[in-house]
Amino acid sequence: MTEQVRAGLRRLANPAKAAALQRFFKTGKGQYGEGDVFLGVMVPDQRRVARECSALGLDGAAELLASPIHEERLTALLILVNQFAKAAPPERKRIYDFYLRHRGRVNNWDLVDLSAPQIVGPCATLAVLEKLARSRTLWDRRIGMVATFYGIREGEPAAALRIAEILVEDEHDLIHKAAGWMLREVGKRCGAAPLEGFLDRHADHMPRTMLRYAIERMPEEQRRVYLGAGASARRVP
């Protein structure tokens, strides 16, 4: 089945798109995606391959996740997401445990964002999410943050607020964006009060990108207030 996945992706490969994706996903020396290799297959096409290869086993998924080719890793994750959605609780736990064991290969932001909410979110305890958020590994921290989208969609913002609090002074832009995105979704799906409470405590020391993402859906006047609070805290006396 792994060869079926690989053959399906290679039929869809586009060298021009691959070159553009390698720039977009920062694969140069010293960048967050250093060394990642692309075929140039778009996500909708990868989803189609994932549906066609839905019987891939965990051994096959592990083989694809070990690949240096980005689309092979992502397609393996999309297959796992599809399998998880249809699985009974014991099989879900098996997929979740497999995901955590192999999370070192979930190593770019799209790989995290298209799999962590669906697989980690329904299974992880708050303690697991906190451990991920405190990791020195960028992708662990993003998994911990983005996985809370599952709870947000269920109307339960507590985990998202807790993980965002741990990450509120993180130094990496990809964490600022992820935390701000989840905070914005808290406001959208769980009501204004949880988001405003978080911002009242943290707006004056949040990274600017995180703050801007978090307040994106607020009325203009309210956005100015929170942006002003952040700016005041950063102003040199």
Side-chain angles (χ1 to χ4, degrees):
M1 187 62 71
T2 56
E3 289 311 310
Q4 185 178 339
V5 172
R6 287 176 169 139
L9 292 173
R10 276 159 180 74
R11 282 195 300 271
L12 297 162
N14 183 318
K17 288 181 179 177
L21 289 170
Q22 295 211 191
R23 292 191 297 271
F24 182 72
F25 283 97
K26 307 297 185 186
T27 64
K29 185 172 179 58
Q31 295 181 307
Y32 62 73
E34 180 178 353
D36 215 350
V37 178
F38 285 80
L39 295 174
V41 185
M42 298 295 98
V43 172
D45 290 326
Q46 291 180 70
R47 290 190 186 279
R48 187 167 72 250
V49 173
R51 290 192 296 270
E52 293 169 353
C53 302
S54 60
L56 182 75
L58 293 183
D59 287 345
E63 184 178 340
L64 290 173
L65 285 172
S67 171
I69 296 173
H70 188 99
E71 290 92 341
E72 291 187 8
R73 302 199 307 282
L74 179 52
T75 302
L77 292 169
L78 294 173
I79 292 170
L80 292 176
V81 166
N82 292 343
Q83 291 176 348
F84 185 96
K86 299 175 181 177
E91 182 61 19
R92 286 188 167 197
K93 179 64 163 54
R94 186 164 168 256
I95 293 170
Y96 163 74
D97 289 342
F98 172 90
Y99 185 100
L100 288 187
R101 287 198 305 274
H102 292 83
R103 70 184 188 276
R105 302 302 297 159
V106 186
N107 56 355
N108 216 314
W109 59 263
D110 61 325
L111 305 181
V112 173
D113 296 358
L114 292 172
S115 62
Q118 298 90 335
I119 295 175
V120 179
C123 296
T125 64
L126 182 58
V128 169
L129 296 176
E130 289 180 344
K131 183 176 180 180
L132 289 167
R134 291 190 172 97
S135 171
R136 297 180 63 182
T137 302
L138 167 63
W139 306 118
D140 280 358
R141 302 199 304 277
R142 186 151 178 134
I143 289 170
M145 186 71 256
V146 176
T148 67
F149 198 13
Y150 175 80
I152 294 169
R153 287 188 296 214
E154 296 293 309
E156 299 173 359
L161 297 173
R162 175 59 184 143
I163 302 307
E165 189 170 49
I166 292 172
L167 296 172
V168 76
E169 295 185 9
D170 197 281
E171 295 183 354
H172 204 287
D173 183 64
L174 286 177
I175 300 301
H176 303 168
K177 292 176 179 177
W181 169 28
M182 291 301 102
L183 290 168
R184 183 183 68 216
E185 292 299 321
V186 166
K188 176 182 175 181
R189 298 169 185 265
C190 304
L195 173 57
E196 290 173 359
F198 184 94
L199 294 174
D200 290 345
R201 295 191 300 276
H202 299 293
D204 65 351
H205 56 275
M206 288 170 67
R208 197 71 167 174
T209 297
M210 188 188 299
L211 178 58
R212 285 189 177 277
Y213 272 54
I215 65 176
E216 192 173 294
R217 295 177 59 87
M218 287 182 167
E220 177 62 28
E221 183 176 348
Q222 193 174 19
R223 289 203 303 272
R224 284 201 299 267
V225 169
Y226 282 119
L227 286 170
S232 295
R234 293 171 175 81
R235 191 172 297 130
V236 178

